[in-house]
Amino acid sequence: MGRRMELKLNTEDEKYLREIIKRGTTEARLYKRAMILLMKSEGKTYMDIARALKVSRNTVVLWVEKYKADENLQKCLKDEKGRGRKHEIFDEEIAFIKNTACKKPTEFGYAAEVWSLSKLTVHINRTAEKNGFPRLSTVSVSYVQKLLKSLAIKPHKIEYYCEKRDPDFEEKMQNVLVFYRDVELGATKEDGTVIHMLSYDEKPGIQAVSVTSEDLPATEKNGHIKRDYEYKRLGTVSLLAGIDLKTGRAFPLVKDKHASEDYIDFLKTLDDYYPKEDVIRILLDNLKVHTSEKTKEYLKTRPGRFEFVFTPKHGSWLNMVEGFFSKMSKQVLKGIRVKSKEELKERILKYFEEENLQPVVFHWKYKLDEISQDSKLKIQPVI
């Protein structure tokens, strides 16, 4: 074992190697090969050499063993014509890299949620030999990057999607589309009763955040507002809101929470606004408060006044009010700082007032042309 670890260079070879490392034009790979042989002849261990030259231990072993086998220094240091790494990585090894990249780092005991190219390559280097792919113990980051690019695999990215968790998703989605079709057609009851059609949802957990020092205004020198990083949380509020899909009018209600009592207060707001003889038809999700016992008790006092169409579970993207919430988040809530929860409530309500001065009518387009004119809307009973 001890003799296998040793490497003796003759005087001529040692002189030639030292000339190589002194040249300013020596290729990096040739320089490292020369250093490997010189350092090994000085009694350094494989691992010491690998750390010093920032290469793998297998690379050090490769060039030491090659020198011993060839007994020809010039031949040893050069890559032979027609040889190289282009045929060294085969299909099974590519499949190993691919399968590793397609798994989460957590499956291998790491803390990260997604791979970085360097982390993935290090893991492949460490585990390749025990999995039967010793060549991959020296595979480079650039090779892994090129391979994954050719396979259209991006293990560092997360793409979000909406999973269809409702077994009746397609049927319920079709009913929502019929609802939007009726909005475009201006549907009324058979007896001529007017139907007001709204899209409704809640936006809970809106943070009231306060600054600890005043913002500095923009100046000619600094063309942007400057703000201290420190802040203070003052609690949260919930927004209950609906938009009339025919007129674009938005109805807000800001509360500390969004329990059944708050939802009932919102329904009362609509009841007070629209003519008593009209019907209020609402598109909303399946939150429990929408069908709670308290809600049912209130609806019994207003028979025939409200009708409900429910989106599928995990189908919030079908609810048009979500677009209004997104717009509000960008225009008002992003970076907002207030002195109290009450100020936050006032500013949210102020935004709705401003929007209602020039209301925007939202129009649903997705798959609407696939809905037959004969399709009938199914109203889901709540009482």
Side-chain angles (χ1 to χ4, degrees):
M1 178 69 73
R3 285 191 296 179
R4 282 205 302 264
M5 295 286 289
E6 295 177 355
L7 177 67
K8 292 184 178 180
L9 298 172
N10 59 50
T11 304
E12 185 178 339
D13 285 350
E14 183 177 353
K15 181 181 178 181
Y16 180 72
L17 291 172
R18 294 195 182 280
E19 288 176 356
I20 288 176
I21 64 175
K22 288 180 181 179
R23 294 176 195 161
T25 57
T26 301
E27 291 182 79
R29 60 179 179 174
L30 183 60
Y31 175 87
K32 286 188 176 182
R33 292 170 190 175
M35 286 298 299
I36 287 171
L37 297 179
L38 285 171
M39 292 175 74
K40 191 59 190 165
S41 70
E42 295 170 357
K44 297 287 194 303
T45 66
Y46 290 138
M47 283 307 301
D48 286 342
I49 299 171
R51 290 192 190 100
L53 299 179
K54 296 182 180 180
V55 296
S56 71
R57 182 180 182 278
N58 287 357
T59 298
V60 178
V61 174
L62 172 69
W63 292 104
V64 171
E65 294 300 321
K66 191 174 181 181
Y67 175 76
K68 289 181 178 181
D70 288 344
E71 295 182 353
N72 184 314
L73 183 59
Q74 283 75 16
K75 182 181 178 182
C76 167
L77 294 177
K78 295 180 180 179
D79 291 319
E80 294 181 24
K81 186 177 181 180
R83 296 182 64 182
R85 294 189 174 181
K86 61 182 178 180
H87 297 301
E88 290 183 358
I89 297 182
F90 302 102
D91 290 345
E92 289 185 357
E93 293 167 317
I94 291 174
F96 174 73
I97 296 174
K98 177 181 176 181
N99 292 337
T100 303
C102 288
K103 293 179 180 179
K104 285 187 173 184
T106 51
E107 296 183 47
F108 300 100
Y110 298 110
E113 182 70 11
V114 295
W115 291 112
S116 66
L117 283 170
S118 58
K119 186 76 172 180
L120 175 61
T121 305
V122 168
H123 175 76
I124 291 170
N125 293 157
R126 288 175 177 172
T127 60
E129 191 166 352
K130 70 178 182 181
N131 283 283
F133 306 108
R135 166 65 188 88
L136 297 184
S137 62
T138 59
V139 73
S140 66
V141 173
S142 60
Y143 177 83
V144 173
Q145 183 181 29
K146 290 178 182 177
L147 174 63
L148 295 182
K149 185 177 181 180
S150 70
L151 297 172
I153 296 174
K154 301 176 182 179
H156 59 291
K157 289 190 174 182
I158 296 176
E159 183 177 307
Y160 290 90
Y161 74 102
C162 289
E163 185 176 350
K164 297 179 180 179
R165 297 175 182 170
D166 193 324
D168 302 317
F169 187 93
E170 295 297 331
E171 181 182 346
K172 291 178 180 179
M173 183 180 74
Q174 286 296 107
N175 198 46
V176 171
L177 297 181
V178 174
F179 174 89
Y180 288 133
R181 182 210 62 187
D182 288 352
V183 172
E184 297 298 320
L185 295 177
T188 59
K189 290 285 189 180
E190 292 182 359
D191 61 2
T193 301
V194 175
I195 303 174
H196 302 280
M197 306 183 75
L198 293 95
S199 173
Y200 166 84
D201 201 4
E202 295 92 1
K203 186 175 180 62
I206 302 174
Q207 288 276 356
V209 180
S210 173
V211 295
T212 57
S213 58
E214 294 297 325
D215 289 348
L216 301 179
T219 63
E220 291 184 7
K221 185 177 181 180
N222 295 303
H224 52 269
I225 295 171
K226 298 186 74 173
R227 173 177 290 167
D228 188 83
Y229 283 100
E230 190 176 350
Y231 60 88
K232 184 179 179 181
R233 298 183 188 274
L234 305 176
T236 61
V237 300
S238 292
L239 169 64
L240 297 79
I243 52 174
D244 187 313
L245 299 179
K246 292 182 180 180
T247 67
R249 180 177 178 82
F251 297 88
L253 184 64
V254 186
K255 296 279 191 174
D256 289 329
K257 55 187 187 307
H258 56 289
S260 295
E261 297 87 347
D262 306 303
Y263 174 58
I264 292 169
D265 284 345
F266 181 82
L267 295 180
K268 289 179 178 178
T269 299
L270 299 181
D271 188 38
D272 292 339
Y273 180 80
Y274 289 108
K276 300 303 179 185
E277 66 275 11
D278 296 349
V279 171
I280 302 170
R281 185 175 291 172
I282 304 174
L283 177 69
L284 69 173
D285 63 24
N286 294 272
L287 191 67
K288 189 175 181 179
V289 299
H290 300 159
T291 56
S292 69
E293 291 303 318
K294 288 183 179 180
T295 299
K296 290 178 180 179
E297 288 301 316
Y298 167 72
L299 293 175
K300 287 177 182 178
T301 69
R302 304 294 293 128
R305 178 63 161 163
F306 294 96
E307 293 181 350
F308 301 97
V309 175
F310 292 98
T311 59
K313 292 179 181 177
H314 207 57
S316 61
W317 58 276
L318 288 167
N319 200 334
M320 238 192 295
V321 75
E322 293 291 337
F324 187 93
F325 285 164
S326 177
K327 176 183 173 183
M328 182 185 69
S329 296
K330 293 175 182 177
Q331 294 183 348
V332 176
L333 300 181
K334 183 180 179 181
I336 192 170
R337 294 294 184 266
V338 293
K339 292 182 172 61
S340 65
K341 283 175 62 174
E342 288 306 313
E343 182 186 343
L344 177 60
K345 293 179 182 179
E346 291 171 3
R347 289 178 65 175
I348 292 173
L349 294 175
K350 182 64 177 176
Y351 174 76
F352 277 80
E353 289 178 13
E354 294 168 356
E355 289 296 300
N356 283 332
L357 291 175
Q358 292 183 306
V360 176
V361 178
F362 290 75
H363 295 279
W364 185 270
K365 300 295 184 182
Y366 178 70
K367 288 192 174 183
L368 206 59
D369 57 350
E370 299 178 11
I371 302 301
S372 168
Q373 299 298 316
D374 299 327
S375 299
K376 300 296 183 183
L377 182 67
K378 297 176 183 177
I379 303 299
Q380 286 95 335
V382 173
I383 300 175

